[in-house]
Amino acid sequence: MTTTSGATPVWDAETLVDRYAEVRSHTETLAAPLSPEDQTVQSMPDVSPTKWHRAHVTWFFETFVLADHEQGFAPFQDTYWFLFNSYYEAVGPRFSRPQRGVISRPGAHDVGVYRGNVDERMRDLIGSLDGGTLEKVTPTIELGFHHEQQHQELLLMDIKHVLSLNPLQPAYVDRPARAAGDPDPGPLGWVDVEGGLVEIGHDGDGFSFDNELPRHQVWLEPYRLADRLVTNGDWLEFMADGGYRRHELWLSDGWARINAEDWRAPFYWTEVDGVWFEHTLHGTWPVDPSLPVTHVSHYEADAFASWAGKRLPTEAEWEHAVRSDGQGDDVTGNLANTETFHPTAASATGAGDARIRQAYGDCWEWTSSSYLPYPGFHPAAGAIGEYNGKFMSNQMVLRGGCALTPPGHARASYRNFFPPGARWAMSGVRLADGGAPTTGASA
Amino acid sequence: MTTTSGATPVWDAETLVDRYAEVRSHTETLAAPLSPEDQTVQSMPDVSPTKWHRAHVTWFFETFVLADHEQGFAPFQDTYWFLFNSYYEAVGPRFSRPQRGVISRPGAHDVGVYRGNVDERMRDLIGSLDGGTLEKVTPTIELGFHHEQQHQELLLMDIKHVLSLNPLQPAYVDRPARAAGDPDPGPLGWVDVEGGLVEIGHDGDGFSFDNELPRHQVWLEPYRLADRLVTNGDWLEFMADGGYRRHELWLSDGWARINAEDWRAPFYWTEVDGVWFEHTLHGTWPVDPSLPVTHVSHYEADAFASWAGKRLPTEAEWEHAVRSDGQGDDVTGNLANTETFHPTAASATGAGDARIRQAYGDCWEWTSSSYLPYPGFHPAAGAIGEYNGKFMSNQMVLRGGCALTPPGHARASYRNFFPPGARWAMSGVRLADGGAPTTGASA
Amino acid sequence: MTTTSGATPVWDAETLVDRYAEVRSHTETLAAPLSPEDQTVQSMPDVSPTKWHRAHVTWFFETFVLADHEQGFAPFQDTYWFLFNSYYEAVGPRFSRPQRGVISRPGAHDVGVYRGNVDERMRDLIGSLDGGTLEKVTPTIELGFHHEQQHQELLLMDIKHVLSLNPLQPAYVDRPARAAGDPDPGPLGWVDVEGGLVEIGHDGDGFSFDNELPRHQVWLEPYRLADRLVTNGDWLEFMADGGYRRHELWLSDGWARINAEDWRAPFYWTEVDGVWFEHTLHGTWPVDPSLPVTHVSHYEADAFASWAGKRLPTEAEWEHAVRSDGQGDDVTGNLANTETFHPTAASATGAGDARIRQAYGDCWEWTSSSYLPYPGFHPAAGAIGEYNGKFMSNQMVLRGGCALTPPGHARASYRNFFPPGARWAMSGVRLADGGAPTTGASA
Amino acid sequence: MTTTSGATPVWDAETLVDRYAEVRSHTETLAAPLSPEDQTVQSMPDVSPTKWHRAHVTWFFETFVLADHEQGFAPFQDTYWFLFNSYYEAVGPRFSRPQRGVISRPGAHDVGVYRGNVDERMRDLIGSLDGGTLEKVTPTIELGFHHEQQHQELLLMDIKHVLSLNPLQPAYVDRPARAAGDPDPGPLGWVDVEGGLVEIGHDGDGFSFDNELPRHQVWLEPYRLADRLVTNGDWLEFMADGGYRRHELWLSDGWARINAEDWRAPFYWTEVDGVWFEHTLHGTWPVDPSLPVTHVSHYEADAFASWAGKRLPTEAEWEHAVRSDGQGDDVTGNLANTETFHPTAASATGAGDARIRQAYGDCWEWTSSSYLPYPGFHPAAGAIGEYNGKFMSNQMVLRGGCALTPPGHARASYRNFFPPGARWAMSGVRLADGGAPTTGASA
């Protein structure tokens, strides 16, 4: 986490309290449709229970703000200190991650009480700080907002997985009424980009995470990017052409994985009597060929690109292309604020007069770049330094945001990351061609 | 399941409905202290969530009674048919057992609705049957009562495990006020039994499960049985004497298991600063040396007996001794109806003028007998035949009942069974000496 | 191990040395067809490499005889002391069993040098002992003979498994020329046995292991035993009738196992273009319907018996029947000395005028008895006490011997044992009917 | 595999046959000290038996050269076709890799016969080809040479692991006599490099693998490289300073791994009574502080660099620095031809007047670069295309070669790769500072 100094917005206490209330209450709004039982389940080690997310983001404020600044600080509950630490080694021992689902207590209501307590103390604290201290504390509070928003996305990703395992095929929320059908996005077009010695990384306006820095130069050969995401219709062609059975399309690890786990379609797809259905947060629906394909792993994205005779973009190519297309500062797309909670079909044009459609939102886009530190990267000091840097191993970068992503988490320099076999994030595919295949190689 | 014909009690419809209501409501009473979150958790594959138990015993009546006898029967919910089948292959496919904890819906309340629906239909059915049909259906309904009572014990065993993993150390219920301390049970005495060609197995009075039949002859050499259970105090001596570190005391499988899983004390014991504590349904308490040791595996029971220079009794020895001691028909002890939910210290004498103390209740007693069919055993026809017979492999017999056992499940011929490494049942140890060491050998 | 005192044969030093040479050289004869590479492989944790067997039996004499009686004893090699201990906790730490196959050195030749060294020292020792000491040491030496013979059988079992995994389908030895075809054993007949209060266990003549003692009384209801083993032809009928797909025939553990590991036929069978082939020590041959089925687990044996409407005998039933049939003292059959190394078809009659055909040899016969101690059983003192007793858990008894068994290891009271899922022993099936289904229940 | 056209050396048949004989006989020379038993063992799934290596490299010539060009080609043995395919999906099904150690036959001698047969056929083929065909086939034969040389290194790496598990502490070969002690390499110095827009990748002179191409531009910030490898002495300081216990030094995956597997020192180190010993191909020796540390994982290398306040170089930094130092064309160092088979201490200066000491040989040097395709990379057509590209996932690049590497496999553009947790390769650490931390970021 970093806010480049020149760019830090000036927060007064009132604004900060309002923003705090807004972020915090949105989490509760997202959890509201979920029963205490729904909020308790951990369906796989990667997934955390809803009530755990609600408590953990609260713990973050308690640990990194209150503990340092509240007069006479004491934890709300000693055991919560242990239960709701996620991965901060510096804060002390933690409850075993794969066991989060065996903890029935504190229950959903008790977590609400915990949240209320911390909220009150945070409001009191912010109100009581003098200007200098407030300025010093604000970056951590702001990081807490961004942290909570990341967990808002995780909460939705995770409950989607929980509900997917239930043979009752439950929905998180009923699908809102929609128009007569998603429009056909039309054929995929290409956007040419010149390349050269370009800059990538956060440019110093507003908030960014530490992993988006430092801004630095990379060399790019000329290349082109697809103007929309790969659709379910495209994917059905890949499947029909033996995509999951042709070893020559796959990375060795990917081939081993799809065979070990018998992957024959995207994560949430099921075939019933020859028809493919997709589990969504609105229940189970027939696969719509117009929509972007989602919940595919990096391995599948890479194999699809090979099948198509194309490749995935590097993260530098993605960032430079989007900026060149005039979408650097203006972030528009199907993000969580649309409340679709699912990718939608590409419209005829991109935002404004942009040529790259669906740059932000709908699906996170797998790149061919390993998640590695930028030149000169240094993690922040202390426990907060564990936020990003220590995960720079065995993961691939995704760019652009998805339909579950809070709008503040979509920007040209934002780096999301997952292991190449992960499928429960709302990930999709944009093709690239020409130029440099990978950041690792050419960026 | 069998009720020897001559002994079947005559149930009229009204009595049956009353008994049904009594059994069914007791399950709900036991679940009442548990929140929806508590009722959702599956803490290990062996454990089922509380709300699953509540639904499964309901499914049993729906499947084995209503489906065969209700006019125009249709399942309450097709998917429940699949979700709440435990292990009846003949009824069809089942939801994966280790995944019971990922099913947040139906929730605890929904299960209550399901229970209400089946209860009403059961009442209607019983009221509508003519005498002949009623007589024919009654044994299955009665089996349903016993089945539900077995799950009442499992529900308590399982929630004890769920709560044990929570660092908040929650209690199922607060411990009732008790007297100034458990009395010292005094030194262990011995009860001599003559042996010879004796009979064991259910003797035809009242209900029994099929595995208690047929009654048959076995030859027993003279032997003696301890007059009380092994206590925590005894066990602490065993531990202090290196009991868990001396290979020569252990069966090879037991030695491998305790080292692989680092067992150094009974299942629910934890050492804090040199003091042993025990997780109970009343929370975590210091180990009381007067109480019977419980939650030990067969391996540990066997090693303890070796250490003591004694052995475990065979199931035939246990049954014959208890009958010989006048405790064949009169079943008295610390069973679930005492609501202690934990073993208590042996009193100075047994029930009435019995010499064998704690014969029933407190702890299930490991025997040295493998769980195998009695001579001439035949499982019942149809799905109900899967109740017992198919589990006669890799398990050991326990006798006598525990503080979680409904009174109707304690009798001289009752055969409980668990794998030799199981520890989450409320199991304990009674020593034997002389005569035949095992059923397999001498019974 | 025990030799009932009255019955101990008087060994003079010369006889003992001759017998030692005979037993020891037979091991080398069995290993002779195997290359250094063959002797090195451990194909699964249960299997030991040939050269490990050759070294371990040598270690047994070094540890239990030389270490106690040789003047100025020192181990041949300190590390061998560690490498070639099998499971004797009392002798000290051991090399990890599943890693025996990673030890390339000592090689096959080095093991021969080790054997030669110990043989010379043993000869010297025996020659040097005075009569009293010799008498005291003889039982341990004799146990060493029996121990080595057990490993002669294991060596063959194990190399059979090693070679089975090789796609070159190698043979241990070429099949000896044989007559025009195995004779049809004819239909299965039944031998009735009266039962009553009978005695089982070793009767004190000659050598026995400690697990065959004490001789003791058991009660048997009348029963009958099949007069021959189940054949491959019988088994093909079971398979054709859906034997491996019908859950109602199987113990729950067995059903889980066959589905988890996809067992659809005996262990060493493979189907090629609709024809079943069987891996043998002579290479891979079409399944011969006249031969006894072999390499089936207890689970499969039990399911077959259920399918046939019969059951497996208890070990007491087997022993009493064989003695009643006049085969108590006269042991004749297809044992290892025939050098067939494979079961042969039942001839028209049993040994002499016996009615029970194939009582000894061909295949070990699964019983329905768990491997448990006889009444009054006490393991021998010291490390030798680990020979049998500590394995009395989670195993089933087999009786009678097989085509790999040295003749001295077939007798009426001999108790072999394996876990119910084991299939690499040369195990088969004899049916029983009537009377008591299991030792645990009725014996 | 590729040989840039302009640079292909002209091979005549005689030269090719001579070179073939030289490469092939060197494999046999390396295997010569190993017994048939040594050659049979597979000590972990990553390791292959020596005789498998000897057969697989032979299969390579048979499959990719003889099968396409020999008149009337037939495989030497159909089953070998299946047994000795490593990972070429396009060639057909393969024997399971983790099971290579259960195949005792063909034995070491039989593999020699197979080698002889293929050698003779290869000589005949080369002699019989006309000039045009010879030119067409030569690149594949040359690839076969390089392939066999890679396996020469693997053979040594693998047998080192096999012998390491043997408590007899065997040596592959006795250590050659050496001088009075390895010289102290002196303090670590730094070599500054300017950076800018530079080129990396194979420059078209002589053989390279396909993964070294295309040569392409990358942007490098100024940086500096350590002038020698990290030593055992340096590593002992890291350990003494709690290097393996301080979470803040480690990548998250690394921290999880070292704790799960209890790594507390380099792979082959063992502590005996407070002294560290190291398993080498010459047996087990006390750790020498002057020698380079080796057999450490990427995780450990990265943690060491963090501890030292430095970082690992990117692969582009490594390659550019070595070329800038005049070591682009002149490859000199402790490679396999020295027959030390172990890293040696850095001498006072590098090769010639080079400033970077130990650039080639001693230890492979972990970089911070993920193994990803270069811009414009395309794998070769057909089965040969599986050689490199499909492994570009979840691996890190190593540069420079080690004491087991054939000299032809050390060059400025050579890219070796292993997963970040791998330790059985002879891998070591060179530090970097300043400029770009990773290829992924800046290169």
Side-chain angles (χ1 to χ4, degrees), chain A residues 46 53 78 81 91 134 145 153 163 168 178 192 215 222 255 272 317 362 397 416 418 432 435:
Chain A
D46 287 325
H53 284 299
D78 282 343
W81 197 260
V91 176
L134 185 63
F145 298 162
E153 178 167 345
L163 297 177
L168 292 166
R178 62 171 186 167
D192 285 291
R215 189 163 170 87
W255 183 244
V272 179
E317 287 176 332
D362 291 314
V397 173
N416 198 358
F418 280 100

Side-chain angles (χ1 to χ4, degrees), chain B residues 4-120:
Chain B
T4 309
S5 56
T8 311
V10 181
W11 298 87
D12 59 32
E14 193 179 345
T15 311
L16 201 59
V17 164
D18 287 354
R19 180 67 180 143
Y20 180 90
E22 184 186 1
V23 170
R24 296 281 291 165
S25 71
H26 190 58
T27 302
E28 295 299 82
T29 301
L30 291 175
L34 299 169
S35 69
E37 294 92 335
D38 293 335
Q39 295 198 29
T40 301
V41 172
Q42 177 174 39
S43 50
M44 64 171 175
D46 286 327
V47 157
S48 296
T50 305
K51 67 184 177 71
W52 187 92
H53 284 299
R54 292 170 56 220
H56 165 68
V57 291
T58 306
W59 169 93
F60 190 96
F61 285 111
E62 197 185 21
T63 303
F64 295 117
V65 181
L66 293 179
D68 284 351
H69 299 286
E70 192 181 37
Q71 294 278 2
F73 170 83
F76 176 74
Q77 225 281 17
D78 282 344
T79 308
Y80 288 16
W81 197 259
F82 169 78
L83 280 174
F84 299 124
N85 181 359
S86 52
Y87 56 66
Y88 294 86
E89 303 277 352
V91 176
R94 291 160 311 289
F95 190 69
S96 163
R97 175 173 186 145
Q99 293 284 83
R100 287 176 187 164
V102 306
I103 297 303
S104 58
R105 307 182 194 181
H109 175 75
D110 305 320
V111 168
V113 172
Y114 175 42
R115 291 181 63 92
N117 173 276
V118 168
D119 288 352
E120 191 175 317

Side-chain angles (χ1 to χ4, degrees), chain C residues 315-371:
Chain C
E315 62 167 324
E317 287 176 334
W318 190 95
E319 180 170 337
H320 178 63
V322 164
R323 284 196 211 271
S324 302
D325 194 35
Q327 301 191 69
D329 296 318
D330 180 20
V331 171
T332 310
N334 178 22
L335 294 153
N337 54 323
T338 65
E339 297 189 0
T340 60
F341 300 136
H342 201 71
T344 47
S347 53
T349 60
D353 57 354
R355 290 172 303 156
I356 302 176
R357 297 182 279 167
Q358 302 176 303
Y360 297 108
D362 292 312
C363 298
W364 286 102
E365 305 176 21
W366 285 110
T367 72
S368 62
S369 299
S370 291
Y371 180 49

Side-chain angles (χ1 to χ4, degrees), chain B residues 137-150:
Chain B
V137 180
T138 295
T140 307
I141 296 176
E142 195 185 2
L143 179 64
F145 298 162
H146 285 272
H147 173 258
E148 182 139 357
Q149 289 172 327
Q150 289 188 310

